[in-house]
Amino acid sequence: ALDMICLAVGFAVLGKGDTSRAADLPIVGFQTAPGEVCVSIAGKPVATYIHADDKIQRPYFAHVKSPAGNKLTRNHPPVPGKDRTDHDTMHPGIWMAVGDLDGEDFWRNKGRVVHEKFVTEPTGGSGKGTFAVRNRYERADGELVCHETCRITFLVRPEGYLLVWDSTFSANREFYFGDQEEMGLAFRVATPITVDNGGTMRDSQSRENGKGIWGKKAAWCDYSGVVGNRKAGMTLMCHPENFRPSWMHARDYGFIAANPFGRKAFTGKSPSRVSVGPGEELRLRYGVLLHDDPLDLNAAYEDYVQLSQEG
């Protein structure tokens, strides 16, 4: 079911200044099944959004591939003998999670993120596909902490496939985001891409790998390596209008998280506590570029920012 050819329906978009005709762009398609949404582009599987999992109690993307079909995220579940098998229920592919949300741990599957409904049903077409969900954040005892409205968009761009992640958190009571390393938007790359296996991490300030990047703020951070005979990777991009720049939690074994909350965790300064009042909202926006060959990542980041300003 995970590698099924996905259904496509019409919907078109072009970025400002893009002279391509919408009809010439590959079709982004979706096919829904119980607990998941299969994403395809040009008829080929690109990712699976899983929103019902007994072991991983929060939504995530698994089985993520590049435009050329190279596997970008670690096997899910990891394969003994081929992959490191650490954090198998915490690092499934691409995900948003927080280790301290009002005192509850949603990173380590202590609290539970429940998919309530699709706010916007999966709708695809030429060059673009999107859906939006409403998630309920519950403590281990079932008490509601807050809701999240998350809009996911896949865009076909010259540099690759751009996954746009836009989450808004709110509640009718005050709640807060605490201070840990394990918070924010994150991904776990395929084993051949890891620094430990010859891959490279590079950020927007030209720092490299975990030693140079960990705990530093950056607009973007790329993780690339050779899969088969071709370079491929993912670039984690932080929107400049987020409430605070993100520190990069970057590890050579194949992990990056963009974390705007962990001030003490990364710098040793006073702990961060980001409170959201009743009826207020906290919005977090990120992009993940799925790409193959070497490219101009600064230009790709500017493209992401420009597209987000347009819509």
Side-chain angles (χ1 to χ4, degrees), residues 61-104:
F61 282 97
H63 320 297
V64 180
K65 297 181 180 179
S66 75
N70 291 311
K71 184 175 290 186
L72 296 177
T73 53
R74 183 176 64 169
N75 289 314
H76 178 65
V79 179
K82 292 185 177 181
D83 306 301
R84 288 179 53 136
T85 58
D86 60 285
H87 302 94
D88 60 325
T89 61
M90 289 186 280
H91 295 180
I94 302 173
W95 68 94
M96 170 81 77
V98 284
D100 181 2
L101 178 59
D102 213 54
E104 188 61 274

Side-chain angles (χ1 to χ4, degrees), residues 46-47 61 63-67 70-74 93-95 161 163 186-190 193 200-202 220-225 231-237 254-256 287-292 295 297:
V46 170
F61 282 97
H63 320 297
V64 180
K65 297 181 180 179
S66 75
N70 291 311
K71 184 175 290 186
L72 296 177
T73 53
R74 183 176 64 169
I94 302 173
W95 68 94
Y161 299 155
L163 189 171
F187 60 62
R188 182 73 181 256
V189 299
I193 295 175
T200 303
M201 275 186 286
R202 179 166 62 93
W220 56 261
C221 188
D222 179 72
Y223 214 134
S224 296
K231 190 172 183 180
M234 297 191 289
T235 311
L236 181 48
M237 301 175 173
F255 167 83
I256 297 176
V288 180
L289 181 68
L290 317 177
H291 63 82
D292 287 294
L295 68 164
L297 291 173

Side-chain angles (χ1 to χ4, degrees), residues 37 49 51 114-123 130-136 147-152 166-168 170:
V37 179
Y49 178 76
H51 56 82
V114 180
H115 170 91
E116 286 192 343
K117 64 178 181 178
F118 285 100
V119 178
T120 302
E121 292 290 334
T123 305
T130 190
F131 62 87
V133 298
R134 179 175 167 88
N135 295 322
R136 175 185 173 93
H147 280 95
E148 173 197 21
T149 299
C150 178
R151 180 171 297 277
I152 298 293
D166 189 339
S167 286
T168 300
S170 63

